[in-house]
C-alpha cells in the first residue's frame, strides 16, 4: 500500500528524493470546463446528403455525393454558414474535405462508413513537424473526414456513428504490405474554432481524432471504440495545437486514449509549434496496450499547460505516462493532473525514456527533453500491479515533479521500479 502525502522526486543523471513537504504544486491556469456551444443555433442553409445522390445501403460508394454537397455549401460560407445533414442509413464513402462555417450533422441512426479500398483514401504529404509518415517514409493516407485552414467547423449529431472499418488497415499493417502511413478517422489541420461532439467513432485505421496545428478545439461527449488488440488506434491526439478541451468522453481502443504530441525529433524542433493549454475532464476508458493519458513520445515542439481532472481508468496497461527519448529535444512542463481513480491498472505512473524510434538518421542524439513542473495529485487505485515505473536518461534531469496524496493498493512485491536513479 502506498499512502503518500507527497512523493517528490528528481530524476535523470539522476536524483530521487522522497520527502514529506507541503505547498509545492505547479497549477495550470485556465478554465476547468469546456466552453459550451449552442448547437441549437441553426445554420441559415441546410441540405441533406440524399439531395446529391447518396444511397445509404452500406454498399454504394458516396464519396462524390459528399464532395459535391460540400462544394455546393461552400457558396454559403460567407452567408452564415451551412449544415450537411446525414439521415439514418449506412453511408459508405472515401475521404472527403470539410469547409469553414460548416456543421456536419449525423442523425441518430446514421453511420458514415469508411471505404475498405485504400484508393479511396488519397495519399497526401507528410506533416512538416514529422518529416515523413509516422509509420513509413514518404506520404500518408488522408483521413476519412478531413479539413485544413478552416474556421468554425462543427461535427456533431444525435449520437450518430463514424465507422472507419479499420480491420483491413490493421491487417495490412500487421502483414507489412502498406506503402504509406495509415489514415486517421478525423484530421483537421491549421484550423480554429472546431467542435466535435455527441458522436460515436469506431474502428479507426490509425489515430482516431487528430487536430494538428489547430487552435480552440473542443471534443465533448464522444465515444471512441476499437478492439483492444487493434494497432495504434489512439483515441484523441492533440498535436501541435493550443486551447484544446476534451470533456466527458468514453474511450476504449488499442493504444493511448489521449496522446498529446508536438512533432518528431529534428522536424518538431525546427517547426517549433508546441501543444499548450490542453484541458481534459471527465475522461473514462480502458485499453490493454497503451496509456490513459500520454504525453509524447513525439513532443519535440514542446508540451505545456496541461490540466486534467476527474479521470477514471480501468483494466488498463498504464494510466499516466510521459514518453521521451534521447534525440527528442523539446520540453514537457506545467502539467497538473488531479482526481484520478484507477482499477485493475498494470502501471499507475510511468516516465519512459526509451521510445527510441526516430524519423531518420539526421536527428541530434544530444537533443535531450526538458521535463519539469509536473504535479499529479489525489490519485486512488485498487488492484494496481506497479505504482511507478520511472526511467531516466543519463545526463538529463527531470525537475520539480510532485506526487501528492497518492493512495494505491499495489499487488506486486515491488511498488516502484526505477532505473538510472541515484
Amino acid at each position: 500500500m502506498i499512502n503518500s502525502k507527497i512523493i517528490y522526486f528528481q530524476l535523470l543523471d539522476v536524483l530521487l528524493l522522497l520527502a514529506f513537504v507541503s505547498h509545492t504544486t505547479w497549477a495550470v491556469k485556465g478554465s476547468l470546463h469546456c466552453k459550451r456551444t449552442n448547437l441549437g443555433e441553426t445554420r441559415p442553409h441546410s441540405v441533406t446528403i440524399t439531395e446529391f445522390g447518396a444511397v445509404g445501403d452500406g454498399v454504394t460508394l458516396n464519396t462524390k455525393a459528399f464532395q459535391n454537397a460540400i462544394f455546393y455549401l461552400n457558396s454559403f460560407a460567407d452567408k452564415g454558414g451551412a449544415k450537411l445533414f446525414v439521415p439514418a442509413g449506412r453511408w459508405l464513402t472515401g475521404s472527403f474535405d470539410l469547409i469553414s462555417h460548416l456543421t456536419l450533422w449525423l442523425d441518430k441512426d446514421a453511420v458514415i462508413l469508411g471505404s475498405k479500398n485504400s484508393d479511396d483514401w488519397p495519399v497526401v504529404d507528410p506533416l512538416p513537424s514529422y518529416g515523413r509518415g509516422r509509420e513509413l517514409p514518404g506520404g500518408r493516407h488522408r483521413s476519412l473526414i478531413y479539413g485544413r485552414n478552416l474556421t468554425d467547423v462543427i461535427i456533431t449529431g444525435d449520437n450518430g456513428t463514424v465507422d472507419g472499418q479499420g480491420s483491413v488497415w490493421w491487417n495490412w499493417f500487421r502483414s507489412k504490405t502498406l506503402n504509406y502511413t495509415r489514415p486517421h478517422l478525423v484530421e483537421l489541420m491549421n484550423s480554429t474554432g472546431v467542435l466535435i461532439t455527441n458522436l460515436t467513432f469506431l474502428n479507426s485505421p490509425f489515430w482516431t481524432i487528430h487536430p494538428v496545428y489547430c487552435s480552440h478545439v473542443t471534443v465533448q461527449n464522444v465515444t471512441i471504440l476499437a478492439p483492444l488488440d487493434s494497432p495504434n488506434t489512439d483515441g484523441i491526439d492533440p498535436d501541435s495545437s493550443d486551447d484544446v478541451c476534451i470533456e466527458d468522453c468514453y474511450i476504449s481502443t488499442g493504444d493511448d486514449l489521449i496522446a498529446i504530441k508536438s512533432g518528431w525529433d529534428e522536424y518538431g524542433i525546427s517547426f517549433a509549434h508546441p501543444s499548450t493549454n490542453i484541458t481534459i475532464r471527465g475522461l473514462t476508458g480502458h485499453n490493454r496496450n497503451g496509456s490513459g493519458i500520454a504525453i509524447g513520445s513525439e513532443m519535440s515542439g514542446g508540451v505545456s499547460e496541461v490540466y486534467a481532472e476527474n479521470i477514471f481508468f480501468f483494466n488498463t496497461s498504464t494510466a499516466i505516462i510521459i514518453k521521451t527519448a534521447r534525440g527528442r529535444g523539446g520540453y514537457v512542463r506545467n502539467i497538473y493532473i488531479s482526481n484520478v481513480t484507477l482499477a485493475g491498472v498494470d502501471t499507475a505512473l510511468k516516465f519512459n525514456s526509451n521510445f527510441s524510434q526516430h524519423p531518420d538518421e539526421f536527428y541530434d542524439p544530444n537533443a535531450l527533453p526538458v521535463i519539469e513542473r509536473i504535479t499529479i495529485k489525489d490519485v486512488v487505485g485498487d488492484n494496481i500491479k506497479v505504482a511507478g515505473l520511472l526511467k531516466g536518461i543519463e545526463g538529463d534531469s527531470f525537475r520539480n515533479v510532485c506526487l501528492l496524496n497518492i493512495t494505491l493498493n499495489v499487488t506486486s512485491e515491488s511498488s516502484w521500479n526505477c532505473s538510472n536513479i541515484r
Side-chain angles (χ1 to χ4, degrees), residues 63-359:
T63 310
K64 287 294 184 183
F66 278 97
Q67 292 172 341
N68 290 340
I70 291 172
F71 179 80
Y72 169 77
L73 293 175
N74 196 40
S75 61
F76 301 105
D78 60 350
K79 301 178 179 65
K83 180 172 80 171
L84 175 58
F85 178 73
V86 182
R90 296 174 62 81
W91 309 92
L92 183 69
T93 180
S95 174
F96 61 91
D97 286 79
L98 302 182
I99 57 173
S100 293
H101 310 295
L102 175 74
T103 296
L104 175 63
W105 183 284
L106 278 66
D107 195 18
K108 179 181 179 181
D109 296 317
V111 182
I112 293 178
L113 290 171
S115 169
K116 294 182 179 181
N117 184 345
S118 64
D119 292 339
D120 294 324
W121 307 64
V123 175
V124 295
D125 290 337
L127 294 169
S129 58
Y130 283 72
R132 47 160 277 184
R134 182 57 186 84
E135 298 179 302
L136 293 167
R140 60 207 182 93
H141 287 278
R142 195 174 70 175
S143 64
L144 184 66
I145 300 175
Y146 179 77
R148 60 185 303 168
N149 304 320
L150 305 182
T151 301
D152 177 25
V153 177
I154 299 174
I155 305 172
T156 188
D158 187 15
N159 199 32
T161 300
V162 180
D163 186 346
Q165 302 199 103
S167 61
V168 292
W169 295 93
W170 309 332
N171 291 335
W172 292 331
F173 172 78
R174 294 182 179 116
S175 63
K176 298 183 179 180
T177 56
L178 287 167
N179 294 318
Y180 303 99
T181 292
R182 288 173 288 159
H184 310 300
L185 200 53
V186 178
E187 181 180 72
L188 297 173
M189 295 178 57
N190 295 302
S191 298
T192 186
V194 175
L195 174 64
I196 302 174
T197 186
N198 299 338
L199 292 174
T200 296
F201 297 89
L202 304 178
N203 304 318
S204 178
F206 195 38
W207 306 342
T208 304
I209 297 175
H210 185 225
V212 58
Y213 320 142
C214 289
S215 296
H216 302 288
V217 177
T218 298
V219 182
Q220 197 173 64
N221 192 31
V222 303
T223 299
I224 300 175
L225 304 175
L228 297 179
D229 63 348
S230 56
N232 312 111
T233 51
D234 292 10
I236 305 169
D237 287 12
D239 198 342
S240 292
S241 294
D242 58 85
D243 295 308
V244 177
C245 196
I246 300 166
E247 187 172 49
D248 298 333
C249 296
Y250 179 88
I251 306 175
S252 174
T253 63
D255 207 332
D256 299 329
L257 308 185
I258 305 290
I260 302 171
K261 303 175 180 289
S262 66
W264 199 9
D265 288 4
E266 72 269 27
Y267 300 102
I269 293 171
S270 63
F271 195 70
H273 197 322
S275 280
T276 188
N277 294 330
I278 312 290
T279 299
I280 303 167
R281 297 186 69 257
L283 174 65
T284 300
H286 74 122
N287 60 46
R288 295 310 304 159
N289 296 299
S291 305
I293 295 176
I295 298 176
S297 69
E298 308 89 346
M299 37 63 67
S300 303
V303 175
S304 69
E305 319 308 320
V306 176
Y307 188 100
E309 69 168 7
N310 300 338
I311 309 299
F312 176 47
F313 298 137
F314 64 97
N315 298 338
T316 294
S317 177
T318 301
I320 298 166
I321 188 170
I322 296 176
K323 301 188 285 189
T324 63
R326 182 178 294 276
R328 284 289 185 271
Y331 58 84
V332 176
R333 62 168 62 107
N334 295 344
I335 311 299
Y336 189 87
I337 301 173
S338 67
N339 297 324
V340 179
T341 301
L342 308 176
V345 171
D346 292 345
T347 304
L349 308 174
K350 183 183 289 189
F351 289 180
N352 192 336
S353 301
N354 294 327
F355 280 79
S356 56
Q357 188 179 19
H358 302 285

Side-chain angles (χ1 to χ4, degrees), residues 364-383:
D364 179 4
N366 296 316
L368 299 179
V370 175
I371 312 297
E372 60 185 2
R373 298 194 294 277
I374 314 295
T375 295
I376 302 173
K377 61 173 291 192
D378 299 334
V379 180
V380 297
D382 190 45
N383 192 25

